[in-house]
Tab-separated table of all heavy atoms in Angstrom:
chain	number	residue	atom	x	y	z
A	1504	THR	N	-5.817	-14.660	7.870
A	1504	THR	CA	-4.725	-14.152	7.023
A	1504	THR	C	-5.253	-13.764	5.640
A	1504	THR	O	-6.327	-14.214	5.213
A	1504	THR	CB	-3.652	-15.241	6.804
A	1504	THR	OG1	-4.251	-16.317	6.057
A	1504	THR	CG2	-3.110	-15.766	8.108
A	1505	GLY	N	-4.447	-12.991	4.943
A	1505	GLY	CA	-4.802	-12.593	3.583
A	1505	GLY	C	-4.867	-13.789	2.644
A	1505	GLY	O	-5.754	-13.869	1.785
A	1506	SER	N	-3.932	-14.721	2.801
A	1506	SER	CA	-3.895	-15.889	1.913
A	1506	SER	C	-5.201	-16.676	1.985
A	1506	SER	O	-5.679	-17.201	0.975
A	1506	SER	CB	-2.749	-16.827	2.313
A	1506	SER	OG	-1.528	-16.139	2.286
A	1509	THR	N	-7.790	-15.085	-0.323
A	1509	THR	CA	-7.656	-15.306	-1.777
A	1509	THR	C	-7.973	-16.768	-2.106
A	1509	THR	O	-8.568	-17.062	-3.138
A	1509	THR	CB	-6.261	-14.892	-2.292
A	1509	THR	OG1	-5.252	-15.584	-1.561
A	1509	THR	CG2	-6.049	-13.397	-2.156
A	1537	PHE	N	0.768	-11.025	-6.574
A	1537	PHE	CA	0.997	-11.779	-5.340
A	1537	PHE	C	-0.320	-11.912	-4.585
A	1537	PHE	O	-1.006	-10.926	-4.319
A	1537	PHE	CB	2.030	-11.072	-4.449
A	1537	PHE	CG	2.338	-11.843	-3.201
A	1537	PHE	CD1	3.089	-13.011	-3.255
A	1537	PHE	CD2	1.843	-11.434	-1.967
A	1537	PHE	CE1	3.353	-13.752	-2.099
A	1537	PHE	CE2	2.105	-12.171	-0.803
A	1537	PHE	CZ	2.852	-13.327	-0.890
A	1538	HIS	N	-0.667	-13.170	-4.262
A	1538	HIS	CA	-1.926	-13.384	-3.539
A	1538	HIS	C	-1.739	-14.239	-2.292
A	1538	HIS	O	-2.729	-14.725	-1.732
A	1538	HIS	CB	-2.961	-14.007	-4.475
A	1538	HIS	CG	-3.318	-13.118	-5.628
A	1538	HIS	ND1	-3.976	-11.920	-5.461
A	1538	HIS	CD2	-3.066	-13.227	-6.961
A	1538	HIS	CE1	-4.141	-11.330	-6.647
A	1538	HIS	NE2	-3.594	-12.096	-7.571
A	1539	GLY	N	-0.484	-14.490	-1.891
A	1539	GLY	CA	-0.253	-15.247	-0.672
A	1539	GLY	C	0.683	-16.408	-0.904
A	1539	GLY	O	1.168	-16.628	-2.023
A	1609	GLU	N	-4.900	-7.553	-8.087
A	1609	GLU	CA	-4.654	-6.556	-7.038
A	1609	GLU	C	-4.903	-5.179	-7.657
A	1609	GLU	O	-4.663	-5.003	-8.854
A	1609	GLU	CB	-3.196	-6.587	-6.585
A	1609	GLU	CG	-2.701	-7.900	-6.041
A	1609	GLU	CD	-1.185	-8.027	-6.236
A	1609	GLU	OE1	-0.731	-8.346	-7.351
A	1609	GLU	OE2	-0.464	-7.803	-5.272
A	1641	ASP	N	-8.127	-8.205	-4.885
A	1641	ASP	CA	-7.341	-8.522	-3.694
A	1641	ASP	C	-6.832	-7.209	-3.101
A	1641	ASP	O	-5.843	-6.641	-3.559
A	1641	ASP	CB	-6.183	-9.447	-4.100
A	1641	ASP	CG	-5.274	-9.762	-2.937
A	1641	ASP	OD1	-5.445	-9.156	-1.864
A	1641	ASP	OD2	-4.371	-10.606	-3.108
A	1643	VAL	N	-5.844	-6.911	-0.024
A	1643	VAL	CA	-5.142	-7.244	1.232
A	1643	VAL	C	-4.079	-6.180	1.547
A	1643	VAL	O	-3.938	-5.741	2.682
A	1643	VAL	CB	-4.532	-8.658	1.157
A	1643	VAL	CG1	-3.609	-8.926	2.333
A	1643	VAL	CG2	-5.650	-9.710	1.115
A	1644	GLN	N	-3.388	-5.732	0.513
A	1644	GLN	CA	-2.365	-4.704	0.747
A	1644	GLN	C	-2.884	-3.289	0.474
A	1644	GLN	O	-2.493	-2.336	1.127
A	1644	GLN	CB	-1.152	-4.980	-0.155
A	1644	GLN	CG	-0.037	-4.015	0.073
A	1644	GLN	CD	1.230	-4.342	-0.687
A	1644	GLN	OE1	1.787	-3.490	-1.334
A	1644	GLN	NE2	1.706	-5.580	-0.614
A	1670	LYS	N	-4.441	-7.474	6.492
A	1670	LYS	CA	-3.455	-6.494	6.958
A	1670	LYS	C	-4.062	-5.304	7.728
A	1670	LYS	O	-4.336	-5.416	8.904
A	1670	LYS	CB	-2.634	-5.983	5.770
A	1670	LYS	CG	-1.721	-7.082	5.149
A	1670	LYS	CD	-0.826	-6.500	4.088
A	1670	LYS	CE	-0.058	-7.533	3.280
A	1670	LYS	NZ	1.139	-8.018	3.876
B	2272	PLP	C1	-1.975	-8.452	-2.259
B	2272	PLP	C2	-1.749	-9.511	-1.201
B	2272	PLP	N1	-2.550	-10.584	-1.153
B	2272	PLP	C3	-2.395	-11.549	-0.234
B	2272	PLP	C4	-1.379	-11.474	0.701
B	2272	PLP	C5	-1.205	-12.568	1.715
B	2272	PLP	O1	-1.530	-12.122	2.982
B	2272	PLP	P1	-1.031	-12.941	4.278
B	2272	PLP	O2	0.454	-12.786	4.336
B	2272	PLP	O3	-1.735	-12.268	5.410
B	2272	PLP	O4	-1.459	-14.349	4.079
B	2272	PLP	C6	-0.524	-10.369	0.699
B	2272	PLP	C7	0.584	-10.276	1.667
B	2272	PLP	O5	1.557	-9.613	1.507
B	2272	PLP	C8	-0.698	-9.354	-0.283
B	2272	PLP	O6	0.099	-8.291	-0.341
Side-chain angles (χ1 to χ4, degrees):
T1504 65
S1506 303
T1509 56
F1537 183 72
H1538 297 294
E1609 301 154 281
D1641 177 352
V1643 170
Q1644 183 174 131
K1670 293 186 189 277

